[in-house]
């Protein structure tokens, strides 16, 4: 099946098929082209979003000066004029999350619909599987960056306090044409999350399952567990990982593996850590722990702090111990 090669028919734990998927070279077939184009129009903006987030400096000094000198109109104006462009930038990031949510649901529809099994979809629709992986890769990169920028919430909190005060004083607020009160409320909820993009995707996946009542839950969870197996096999098998032309692809696989585990944990009633889970969590964590610590610290933290079922009583103690 082109770049998708079956490397194991099943694991010793009978957790389903494992595959090697060439994330670097998969190209869309005619049947995939329409959805691929739609999703690609979103993904092609992802790097500029990450670049914008990476360059985010915040208005901390201007805000401190304004707060310490409440009667100095020039300092108030300087802080306000510094924060407003940043809020426009934050709106752009938030709006992109909505586009990403739609793209994810389009891919889930394709990769889970009958009569094919999720495994057959991944075999036949490699380019869509690659896009699914790219969404997860972007999501974890975005959230890793966001967690290092406390200025985002400080800036937005100042903006909301100031705009409320200015509204009371009947001041002309042109920015409300860009970010009205409803938009500000939604953005506030988004940025309050430690990992806002991952939260968006988790909610989108849960909503997809809820809204598609005729689609068996297993179609979605099997798609996610198979993707986790894909990445785990590629990372732990030198014969396969050595085929990649860039070391960045290994980090890509790690992020994707963690992303699908988190989605699975949110969607499956018993979560990813339960003994009945189709994901070999012990094996996945071991694969991460075998990598350089700097590459995986954020990913291990994501498993610790953004999963839903890690602290359930049904989670084996050795799994929790491995993540400590």
């Amino acid at each position: 099946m082109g770049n998708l090669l079956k490397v194991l028919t099943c694991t010793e734990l009978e957790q389903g098929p494992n595959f090697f998927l060439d994330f670097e070279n998969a190209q869309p077939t005619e049947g995939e082209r329409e959805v691929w184009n739609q999703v690609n129009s979103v993904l092609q903006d992802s790097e500029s979003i990450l670049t914008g987030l990476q360059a985010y400096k915040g208005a901390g000094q201007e805000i401190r000066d304004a707060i310490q000198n409440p009667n100095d109109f020039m300092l108030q104006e300087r802080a306000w004029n510094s924060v407003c462009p940043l809020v426009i930038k934050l709106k752009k990031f938030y709006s992109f999350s909505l586009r990403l949510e739609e793209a994810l649901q389009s891919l889930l529809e394709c990769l889970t619909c009958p009569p094919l099994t999720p495994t057959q979809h991944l075999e036949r629709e490699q380019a869509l599987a690659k896009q699914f992986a790219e969404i997860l890769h972007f999501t974890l990169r975005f959230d890793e960056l966001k967690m290092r920028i406390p200025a985002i919430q400080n800036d937005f909190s100042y903006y909301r306090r100031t705009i409320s005060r200015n509204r009371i004083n009947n001041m002309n607020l042109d920015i409300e044409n860009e970010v009205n009160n409803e938009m500000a409320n939604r953005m506030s909820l988004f940025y309050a999350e430690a990992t806002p993009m991952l939260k968006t995707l988790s909610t989108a996946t849960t909503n997809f399952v809820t809204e598609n009542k005729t689609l068996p839950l297993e179609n979605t969870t099997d798609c996610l567990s198979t993707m986790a197996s894909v990445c785990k096999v590629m990372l732990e098998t030198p014969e396969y990982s050595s085929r990649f032309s860039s070391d960045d692809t290994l980090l890509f696989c790690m992020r994707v593996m963690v992303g699908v585990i988190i989605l699975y944990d949110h969607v499956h009633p018993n979560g990813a850590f339960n003994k009945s889970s189709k994901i070999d969590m012990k094996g996945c964590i071991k694969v991460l722990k075998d990598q350089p610590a700097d590459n995986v610290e954020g990913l291990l933290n994501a498993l610790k702090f953004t999963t839903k079922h890690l602290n359930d009583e049904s989670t084996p103690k050795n799994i929790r111990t491995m993540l400590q």
Side-chain angles (χ1 to χ4, degrees), residues 13 26 34 36 38 58 81 83 92 135 139 150 251 261 293 307:
L13 299 176
E34 183 178 353
W36 188 92
Q38 292 171 4
N81 289 337
V83 164
K92 180 182 177 183
I135 287 176
T139 295
L251 185 54
I261 288 170
T307 48

Side-chain angles (χ1 to χ4, degrees), residues 170-296:
N170 293 316
M171 293 179 65
N172 183 30
L173 300 170
D174 291 337
I175 192 170
E176 286 205 286
N177 295 327
E178 287 278 351
V179 182
N180 61 28
N181 195 49
E182 182 187 351
M183 173 62 74
N185 286 338
R186 285 187 274 138
M187 287 171 61
S188 184
L189 290 172
F190 177 78
Y191 287 111
E193 296 287 342
T195 53
M197 285 290 177
L198 204 48
K199 173 67 174 177
T200 297
L201 294 197
S202 296
T203 302
T205 307
T206 302
N207 290 344
F208 172 79
V209 170
T210 304
E211 291 163 9
N212 292 273
K213 298 186 186 301
T214 59
L215 186 71
L217 172 65
E218 291 74 20
N219 284 37
T220 303
T221 55
D222 284 357
C223 175
L224 299 174
S225 62
T226 302
M227 286 292 286
S229 293
V230 168
C231 297
K232 174 176 162 290
V233 169
M234 289 193 290
L235 289 166
E236 69 186 1
T237 311
E239 179 186 348
Y240 302 115
S241 58
S242 64
R243 295 182 187 180
F244 293 121
S245 61
S246 169
D247 288 343
D248 290 343
T249 308
L250 295 178
L251 185 54
F252 178 96
C253 289
M254 285 186 262
R255 286 199 178 104
V256 173
M257 182 177 74
V258 169
V260 289
I261 288 170
I262 292 169
L263 293 186
Y264 183 102
D265 191 64
H266 279 263
V267 171
H268 197 287
N270 298 325
F273 301 96
N274 191 283
K275 286 182 179 178
S276 64
S277 168
K278 289 189 176 181
I279 296 177
D280 174 14
M281 284 305 306
K282 188 175 178 181
C284 289
I285 295 169
K286 182 181 183 304
V287 162
L288 291 175
K289 292 257 187 172
D290 287 343
Q291 309 301 320
D294 289 348
N295 287 350
V296 298

Side-chain angles (χ1 to χ4, degrees), residues 31-149:
E32 298 170 90
R33 179 70 63 181
E34 183 178 353
V35 172
W36 188 92
N37 284 340
Q38 292 171 4
V39 175
N40 189 55
S41 69
V42 177
L43 284 172
Q44 66 188 6
D45 294 333
S46 63
E47 283 302 321
S48 68
I49 294 293
L50 291 172
T51 301
L53 181 60
Q54 205 157 18
Y56 192 98
K57 298 302 180 189
Q61 188 59 54
E62 292 87 346
I63 290 170
R64 282 191 293 274
D65 290 344
I67 291 173
Q68 290 166 6
N69 301 276
N71 296 320
D72 189 322
F73 178 76
M74 283 185 62
L75 289 178
Q76 305 305 312
E77 189 173 52
R78 188 175 75 157
W80 180 247
N81 289 337
S82 297
V83 164
C84 284
L86 295 173
V87 169
I88 300 300
K89 184 178 282 191
L90 293 176
K91 180 193 174 185
K92 180 182 177 183
F93 300 158
Y94 169 71
S95 298
F96 186 76
S97 78
L98 302 181
R99 295 174 61 203
L100 206 66
E101 182 178 355
E102 287 185 13
L104 179 79
Q105 292 194 327
S106 295
L107 290 172
L108 283 173
E109 285 177 16
C110 292
L111 295 173
T112 61
C113 65
L116 299 182
T117 66
T119 298
Q120 289 170 328
H121 277 296
L122 292 175
E123 282 187 293
R124 302 181 190 192
E125 294 156 359
Q126 301 166 41
L128 298 186
K130 179 174 179 280
Q131 286 185 319
F132 186 84
E134 286 169 342
I135 287 176
L136 292 168
H137 182 241
F138 163 83
T139 295
L140 272 91
R141 288 172 70 197
F142 182 97
D143 287 347
E144 284 170 11
L145 286 172
K146 186 264 181 186
M147 283 192 282
R148 299 186 199 132
I149 311 175

Side-chain angles (χ1 to χ4, degrees), residues 1-7 19-23 25-27 29 32 122-127 243:
M1 280 292 176
N3 294 318
L4 188 62
L5 307 173
K6 184 179 292 187
V7 294
F19 295 92
F20 180 84
L21 175 59
D22 188 344
F23 283 131
N25 301 307
Q27 295 297 317
T29 61
E32 298 170 90
L122 292 175
E123 282 187 293
R124 302 181 190 192
E125 294 156 359
Q126 301 166 41
R243 295 182 187 180

